[in-house]
Amino acid sequence: MNVFLYVALLSCCIILTSCEVLTTLGVMTGASVLGGYVYNKIQCKYFECCTDEYIKFDLEKLDKLMQNKLYGQHIAYKTILNALHGYLNNKENKKALSLSFHGPQGTGKNYVTQFIAQSLYRKGTESKFFHFFNGREDFPLTNETENYKIALQTKIKAALKACPRSLFVFDEVDKMPEGILNAIVHYLDYNTWPKDYVGNEAIFLFLSNTGSRQIVQRLLNLWESGVKRQNTKLQDFENLISIGAFNEKGGFHLSDTIETSVIDHYIPFLPLEEEDVKKCIRHAFKKRLTEETKVTEITPEMVEEALSHLTFDPPPHNLYSKSGCKRIEQKVAIIMHPYKK
């Protein structure tokens, strides 16, 4: 065969083979991308995903939940809604949103946390993007503080990589060993997130009884000076809460989270007055008015009987329920038991 003809034929074969390989690779790559897309769509149909379809903050839902089920907390109601509205409408967030709830037990701190989760995720507090830490249960040993800090950083880092729109809740902060929250300051501060993070869209909630004494005393002083409860403002309490939390024993004691000003709002949950507690009582009774009971309506006598189980303080005025709305469900259950069919 002519040498030149042989070389020409060989060149054509090489070119054709190369084109076939490239075409095959292109088809495989396209199929891989398409397959990944289809897989994600199918996966997200049956499992929770970190997408706009699954995570979309419904502020109207949160508003209704707090209006219908949160009693006597006009400051918390207004501050939380405004803070979340401002945060969600800021497309250039430079830091995570951090809110610290303070007040006596039974005033609604945990309720609001549940409402926020329900308004953010389809599965509410059961969402895999909802992360809950309890100061008493998760951090029980003071001598293990350093290990707790490392474990906490690892969990938060993994959670944020999985979904930047995670919700972190730290309950009973006052029961935490001092210093643990210093480990998460850089997740709350401005422009300090690791470079490999997708974004800064997390929300951190801190729940604590610290500052309760100061809140009660300030509210009482305002009442004695003629200021009505519904006319009190966030500014009446926020500074004294942060000072009280910083100086009281617990997770906030001498904490960098307070000293470096990375917490956006210190929100007071005010002690509940008699009228607020009565709303809780009526709500508890309504939940038990079913076909299995002989009564069909809540009487004033039933409300007063439930109210008689609660203690009000501080003396001499005794304006506020010592346990808020806690224990009411249990007392109502006892009252309703004789009325079962």
Side-chain angles (χ1 to χ4, degrees), residues 11 21 61 70 72 75 88 149 194 205 237 245 249 303-304 309:
S11 299
V21 170
K61 180 178 181 179
L70 182 66
I75 296 176
L88 297 170
K149 289 165 72 173
L205 304 179
F237 302 93
K249 289 185 177 181
V303 174
E304 289 299 322
H309 290 280

Side-chain angles (χ1 to χ4, degrees), residues 102 211 237-247 252 258 266:
H102 296 258
F237 302 93
E238 192 166 27
N239 188 51
L240 67 88
I241 289 174
S242 64
I243 294 173
F246 188 75
N247 291 301
F252 278 134
I258 297 177
Y266 296 91

Side-chain angles (χ1 to χ4, degrees), residues 132-270:
F132 183 86
F133 303 90
N134 181 276
R136 194 194 305 266
E137 295 179 4
D138 294 311
F139 314 104
L141 305 174
T142 304
N143 59 353
E144 289 291 323
T145 297
E146 292 305 313
N147 291 330
Y148 292 148
K149 289 165 72 173
I150 294 171
L152 184 57
Q153 285 183 331
T154 301
K155 287 180 180 179
I156 291 178
K157 186 174 182 179
L160 291 173
K161 281 195 172 184
C163 185
R165 286 179 282 183
S166 292
L167 174 60
F168 300 94
V169 177
F170 294 85
D171 191 17
E172 293 194 327
V173 174
D174 47 304
K175 301 298 188 298
M176 284 184 186
E178 179 183 330
I180 287 180
L181 293 179
N182 292 346
I184 67 170
V185 168
H186 66 287
Y187 294 108
L188 306 175
D189 210 347
Y190 289 89
N191 301 312
T192 55
W193 283 44
K195 293 180 180 179
D196 55 346
Y197 277 68
V198 177
N200 189 351
E201 304 172 68
I203 297 174
F204 289 79
L205 304 179
F206 302 94
L207 284 60
S208 174
N209 289 335
T210 53
S212 297
R213 189 172 63 255
Q214 291 89 340
I215 291 171
V216 172
Q217 190 58 53
R218 174 60 61 86
L219 186 62
L220 190 60
N221 291 342
L222 290 168
W223 176 80
E224 289 174 339
S225 64
V227 178
K228 294 182 179 179
R229 178 193 181 90
Q230 61 268 28
N231 293 333
T232 55
K233 306 181 294 295
L234 177 65
Q235 299 92 309
D236 294 324
F237 302 93
E238 192 166 27
N239 188 51
L240 67 88
I241 289 174
S242 64
I243 294 173
F246 188 75
N247 291 301
E248 288 184 36
K249 289 185 177 181
F252 278 134
H253 185 235
L254 305 178
S255 174
D256 290 347
T257 55
I258 297 177
E259 195 164 28
T260 58
S261 302
V262 294
I263 295 178
D264 298 305
H265 304 286
Y266 296 91
I267 301 174
F269 280 70
L270 306 179

Side-chain angles (χ1 to χ4, degrees), residues 69-80:
K69 297 183 179 181
L70 182 66
Y71 306 120
Q73 304 300 346
H74 66 286
I75 296 176
Y77 164 77
K78 181 179 179 180
T79 306
I80 292 167

